[in-house]
Amino acid sequence: MRLSVFDLSAVSEGTTPREALRSVMNLVSLSEEWGYHGYWFGEHHLGRGRVGSAPIVLTALAAERTSTLHVGSAVAVLPHYRPLALVEQISTIAELHPGRVHLGIGKGLTHSAERSSERVSNALQLLREPGADLPDLGRADHPVLLRELLAVSPSDPEGYDQSVREVLSLLQRPIGVVDGRPLQAMPGLAAPVLPWLFASAGRESAVRSARLGLPFVVNNHVIDAPVEDAVTAYREAFVPSAFLTKPYVAVSVHAVAADTDAEARTLAESYPVWISGVLARGFSDTLSPSGTRREEAPFDPDRLRSSSGTRIIGEAAAVSERVHSFGQSIEADEVLVSTLVYGDRNKARSYELLAKHWPSTSRPSDAPRHDRLRSVDGVTPVSSDSQATNRVAHSYEIR
């Protein structure tokens, strides 16, 4: 079972965007040294608490400074992109770093946005008047603003499914032919990139991933819900595709590891305050030091608990064993770990300890590191006719 970093690129109080981004890239390099299989970047906008607004750019930067680490988006919010542009962007990276670039896609928040209010219309108008006073907005206005400022593709269920299929088609075949010459995504067609669907633990999401022949990722770092039924449904419905030859299941969890239980519990105190703000407003503020209290809208404790995902906190060896056992319980192929604590050093130390205590039988292959790109560890290109223009030139077998 592989161990990967799921980085939401959170910003600690008192940290500048430049410092936060440099810390992210430093953690990328360290993660490769510590033996992590992959590094995934989230996408979030319009909040000062995260710098992960451009996951494709971060994927490119991470790929450039590593040699074996698998990198990708988790997720690129599909309604924020035109499928062709997204395919060409990620494929540009994949062609330069074949065998380790992944495109995780998801629906995001815009599908639940209400109709634009007068407040939002005024705020958009004031973007053209930089000297104007900042307008007061309601807490429900955040997803509406995202839609108005970013959405370029459908976010309703039917439109989203259509966009997913467009992405997959552009990776596999031309759009048409003019004078006998193909119109195609370039780079894009036959690019060595593996698309993933990130979703909830619902059966519908599982079956969608299975029928498309894509990996199934359960976002358990934000939703604490049983996943066994969905995983079973995925495996039973899986259809081999040009992208994947057999089912592949990944699950995300939130974990904090430290030298002692007490230290881990103290570090973990920042998270409930942070997630309460996300639930209250729809976007994140900076991470505060442990013990900090902020005034937020009151929340039903059950909602706060269910929205905090699967959290594993404690002494490093015990946390590593529990994360591993959680993955084993659903026979996961990969576990994506999110760690949200105040202070970049604390975050890096948690990831270091988790990797240090990860069971040796689940570590990446001991084969030479560059060989892992080709055959042993992770995604293996399966050769095909390089001249084909109506199908993807590399299918994948994740071993």
Side-chain angles (χ1 to χ4, degrees):
M1 181 166 44
R2 297 174 177 84
L3 179 64
S4 295
V5 174
F6 189 177
D7 196 352
L8 299 181
S9 306
V11 179
S12 292
E13 187 177 299
T15 302
T16 67
R18 181 180 302 172
E19 291 168 340
L21 287 167
R22 285 177 172 171
S23 291
V24 168
M25 287 298 111
N26 184 53
L27 184 56
V28 166
S29 298
L30 290 172
S31 296
E32 183 172 61
E33 293 179 17
W34 295 333
Y36 277 89
H37 169 73
Y39 203 108
W40 296 86
F41 297 99
E43 177 179 346
H44 301 89
H45 301 273
L46 296 183
R48 63 178 182 173
R50 289 185 255 201
V51 287
S53 56
I56 304 302
V57 175
L58 291 174
T59 296
L61 294 170
E64 197 61 34
R65 67 189 298 139
T66 56
S67 59
T68 62
L69 192 70
H70 288 238
V71 293
S73 57
V75 298
V77 179
L78 191 49
H80 297 169
Y81 304 84
R82 296 295 296 174
L84 176 60
L86 182 60
V87 166
E88 290 176 336
Q89 289 169 19
I90 196 69
S91 297
T92 299
I93 306 168
E95 291 291 359
L96 293 171
H97 306 279
R100 60 190 186 98
V101 174
H102 304 257
L103 174 61
I105 52 181
K107 189 180 295 184
L109 289 174
T110 53
H111 66 282
S112 61
E114 300 175 358
R115 296 181 63 182
S116 294
S117 66
E118 184 176 350
R119 296 187 304 272
V120 170
S121 297
N122 290 339
L124 294 172
Q125 180 64 32
L126 291 175
L127 279 175
R128 307 180 188 94
E129 302 174 21
D133 293 336
L134 292 177
D136 287 327
L137 297 171
R139 287 179 166 175
D141 291 332
H142 176 252
V144 181
L145 272 171
L146 285 182
R147 183 187 63 207
E148 297 295 331
L149 291 170
L150 287 171
V152 292
S153 294
S155 57
D156 61 285
E158 183 178 351
Y160 172 72
D161 284 345
Q162 179 179 325
S163 294
V164 169
R165 293 182 182 278
E166 287 181 20
V167 167
L168 302 184
S169 180
L170 287 164
L171 288 167
Q172 297 179 80
R173 53 173 292 170
I175 301 172
V177 177
V178 177
D179 294 335
R181 292 168 176 79
L183 286 172
Q184 64 185 63
M186 187 65 178
L189 176 64
V193 57
L194 179 62
W196 300 54
L197 285 186
F198 282 65
S200 66
R203 181 183 178 88
E204 181 180 349
S205 300
V207 172
R208 178 189 294 114
S209 296
R211 289 176 176 171
L212 292 172
L214 301 178
F216 178 49
V217 190
V218 186
N219 290 332
N220 248 52
H221 71 290
V222 292
I223 300 174
D224 188 8
V227 302
E228 292 80 4
D229 289 347
V231 170
T232 298
Y234 166 74
R235 290 196 171 107
E236 290 178 349
F238 183 81
V239 178
S241 70
F243 300 107
L244 197 62
T245 59
K246 59 183 179 180
Y248 191 89
V249 174
V251 62
S252 63
V253 300
H254 178 77
V256 178
D259 292 308
T260 66
D261 280 331
E263 182 184 357
R265 288 195 298 270
T266 298
L267 291 172
E269 289 176 1
S270 298
Y271 182 75
V273 177
W274 184 86
I275 194 64
S276 293
V278 173
L279 293 172
R281 296 180 299 269
F283 61 94
S284 58
D285 205 342
T286 52
L287 279 163
S288 301
S290 299
T292 301
R293 294 285 179 255
R294 286 178 174 172
E295 294 297 324
E296 306 290 357
F299 272 95
D300 180 345
D302 290 337
R303 181 188 173 193
L304 182 59
R305 192 178 303 111
S306 65
S307 299
S308 297
T310 298
R311 302 183 68 212
I312 301 175
I313 300 162
E315 184 273 329
V319 168
S320 184
E321 193 279 329
R322 288 169 60 195
V323 171
H324 189 266
S325 295
F326 177 74
Q328 279 189 320
S329 69
I330 60 169
E331 299 181 21
D333 298 285
E334 185 172 346
V335 179
L336 283 55
V337 176
S338 169
T339 297
L340 285 159
V341 295
Y342 173 80
D344 294 325
R345 290 179 182 271
N346 295 327
K347 174 182 173 182
R349 178 60 174 164
S350 179
Y351 278 117
E352 180 184 16
L353 289 170
L354 185 61
K356 177 182 178 181
H357 293 281
W358 194 246
S360 58
T361 55
S362 293
R363 291 185 182 279
S365 169
D366 291 328
R369 298 189 69 159
H370 291 288
D371 288 347
R372 289 166 51 191
L373 294 180
R374 296 193 293 271
S375 61
V376 179
D377 181 38
V379 183
T380 304
V382 179
S383 63
S384 66
D385 181 2
S386 62
Q387 300 302 315
T389 58
N390 63 348
R391 59 186 173 88
V392 71
H394 297 290
S395 61
Y396 290 86
E397 181 180 359
I398 301 183
R399 297 175 181 173

